[in-house]
Amino acid sequence: MRTQVGIVGAGPAGLLLSHLLHRAGIASVVLERQNREHVEHRIRAGVLEQGTAELLRATGLGQRLDREGMVHRGIEIAVRARRHRIDLAGLSGGKTVTVYGQHEVVKDLIDRRLADGGDLRFEAEEVQPAGFLGETPSLSWSEHGERRELRCDFIAGCDGFHGICRPSLPAGHATELDRSYPFAWLGILAEAPPAQEELIYAHHPDGFALFSMRSPQITRLYLQCDPDEDLANWPDRRIWDELHKRLESDGGWHLKEGPILQKGITAMRSFVCEPMQAGRLFLAGDAAHIVPPTGAKGMNLAVADVRVLAAALIAYYRESRDDLLAAYSATCLRRVWKVQRFSWWMTQLLHRFPEHDAFGRHLQQAELDYVVHSEAARRSLAENYVGLPFEGAGE
Ligand code: APR
Ligand code: PHB
């Protein structure tokens, strides 16, 4: 088998890349380890930056997004029993974010790729990239027990943090930088109407909590917990009690309870692999970097990478230019590090750090106080939260 771009992973990065390439007349094949059902129901984050939503709309993926996505013009930050609104739209020249689950984006992309005749191979086992340091890259994999091979011009490693592409880089080629945090998030999905329209990021002496949503019927909630926390220690009652305590800071507002549909623990880490390319292999999305979820940036950053990669591949095929491909990693990393900085900043601002002494706690309180009361600080938060302007290759 042969194609132009061999893509590993059918998450938002791999699927969107395949879609953007198809629109430019470039062929690709997507190899995904899991089955379709699995990738379509994996609950992940759910906030789209303005630019992410615009890109989906501009490339024909806006129908369900426009119907079901919830446009948010602000968020709230709760500190010591008081809620403060950050007017995202007012502080960013009218930009907004859209709450729409990542798995909904994935469903829309899969439907669209299949309708367009796309070649998506689910349950592709033991995928192995090869030959990318030379002129003849290829991907091999097992399908129904049989070994298959795909020859291609380029490989896109969109296979997430635990994928095979990053470990396939030559030894010593890349540097991995990371930071872990002394906490995790316990997340639930509850069948309960969201008790208010906007998200609430709550700083509380017992730990961070986040109020979010997926639809007018479904609330999404998170609690800071220990990194090695066992879900067995968190019966539903304990989760709700803790959420009420941390989120219901102002009098009058009450979280609505409902059956818990899903529970999980999300680890928190920051990670970057530099460079994000080797020869004809390009890493995009979680395969190249991880951000803690506090800034709601994971999927948006994956989309930003793919935008750069698609533009570089289109320039290669249409104009025989390889300068944009050569600059891929450097172009992406400029945004990656700004988004790492913002995600780290939101995380250190809002969580309880077990190692903090009194001085550390006072600094954190002063920073929270500054953020909610200074327009300059709120503007900076808003600018980053709605998404920094997209800088194309070479800019
Ligand atoms: N072979 C084939 N597919 C693989 C392999 C492999 N060896 N390893 C992983 N995959 C698949 C996974 O099953 C998954 O479907 O690659 C896909 C990677 O998708 P994501 O993890 O969703 O990563 P990405 O597309 O970069 O999107 C980033 O996902 O984890 C969230 O917070 C993150 O929102 C961000 C988004
Ligand atoms: C979510 O709704 O899952 C969500 C929202 C905001 C975040 C992280 C996750 O910062």
Side-chain angles (χ1 to χ4, degrees), residues 316-334:
Y316 173 86
Y317 285 110
R318 285 200 182 149
E319 302 164 40
S320 305
R321 283 177 64 178
D322 54 16
D323 56 325
L324 298 188
L325 282 172
Y328 169 73
S329 176
T331 306
C332 288
L333 285 168
R334 289 182 60 200

Side-chain angles (χ1 to χ4, degrees), residues 178-212:
D178 71 348
R179 180 158 292 192
S180 58
Y181 299 90
F183 39 73
W185 281 11
L186 193 166
I188 63 162
L189 205 57
E191 201 176 335
Q196 72 148 30
E197 270 176 36
E198 294 182 343
L199 272 61
I200 306 172
Y201 288 82
H203 173 78
H204 187 277
D206 292 338
F208 170 78
L210 171 61
F211 166 85
S212 179

